[in-house]
Amino acid sequence: MSVVFLKPEERYIRSYWETFGDICREGIYLALSEPFPYKSTVEFMKNMISDGAPSLFVIDDESDGCVGWCDAISEDGINGRLGMGLAEPYRNRGYGTELLKRVIELSREYGYKYLFLEVWKTNGRAVHLYEKAGFGTYDEDDKKLYMKLKLDK
């Protein structure tokens, strides 16, 4: 099982949406239990592609489908909000670590000052991944940790 990391392309939107839906339905990692509607996902992804926002798809070499993603979307043009997911068969193979590392670097190049994220406290693997990448917790509530990473050039 081998993968490549690519900037998002329109031809992968359908498989991205399917993978996103699969991870939502796991009910463990994402706040949603179902993906956003396909039509709005296409619009969102086309905007992200045209904006050049820091983002990568994980593409399975054999199926040529998207099996994961990581993106850093900005609401203020200065900082990015990180989101990522990886289909179950591709976890614990180092792909998530490499994906995160690459999107952090893309975020630096894009000019973001900080990356922010929210993670369930019960998602120990993700918390470990983010801490290993340099994220620190700046706040928390009963269920989530709120983490950030300062991006120095």
Side-chain angles (χ1 to χ4, degrees):
M1 178 180 308
S2 67
V3 301
V4 293
F5 302 94
L6 299 176
K7 292 291 281 175
E9 298 175 20
E10 284 188 37
R11 69 187 178 120
Y12 294 119
I13 293 175
R14 168 69 67 179
S15 58
Y16 158 78
W17 180 73
E18 291 168 352
T19 296
F20 183 72
D22 290 344
I23 296 170
C24 286
R25 286 184 284 280
E26 286 181 73
I28 301 170
Y29 305 109
L30 302 176
L32 301 171
S33 59
E34 288 294 325
F36 297 108
Y38 181 68
K39 186 176 179 180
S40 62
T41 299
V42 170
E43 184 178 322
F44 170 79
M45 290 305 303
K46 285 182 175 182
N47 287 337
M48 191 170 62
I49 291 167
S50 68
D51 180 46
S55 56
L56 289 173
F57 280 169
V58 182
I59 306 299
D60 180 275
D61 272 340
E62 190 173 310
S63 70
D64 194 38
C66 178
V67 297
W69 76 92
C70 185
D71 53 44
I73 307 303
S74 181
E75 295 173 4
D76 62 8
I78 299 168
N79 302 303
R81 179 155 304 282
L82 190 91
M84 70 182 292
L86 196 57
E88 195 280 326
Y90 299 86
R91 296 176 193 151
N92 297 311
R93 297 173 180 267
Y95 298 141
T97 300
E98 183 63 23
L99 178 62
L100 180 59
K101 182 176 111 181
R102 290 179 184 215
V103 171
I104 289 170
E105 186 55 37
L106 289 173
S107 296
R108 274 191 188 97
E109 292 169 7
Y110 198 72
Y112 286 158
K113 304 275 188 237
Y114 286 91
L115 286 178
F116 292 89
L117 63 85
E118 300 172 14
V119 61
W120 299 115
K121 288 180 174 181
T122 56
N123 190 351
R125 287 190 311 188
V127 171
H128 177 73
L129 172 70
Y130 298 136
E131 288 175 341
K132 191 169 68 171
F135 282 84
T137 300
Y138 68 91
D139 200 3
E140 63 182 279
D141 60 29
D142 292 347
K143 296 181 180 182
K144 294 180 187 175
L145 297 176
Y146 300 87
M147 304 179 84
K148 70 179 178 180
L149 174 68
K150 183 174 174 46
L151 299 173
D152 297 318
K153 288 201 173 189

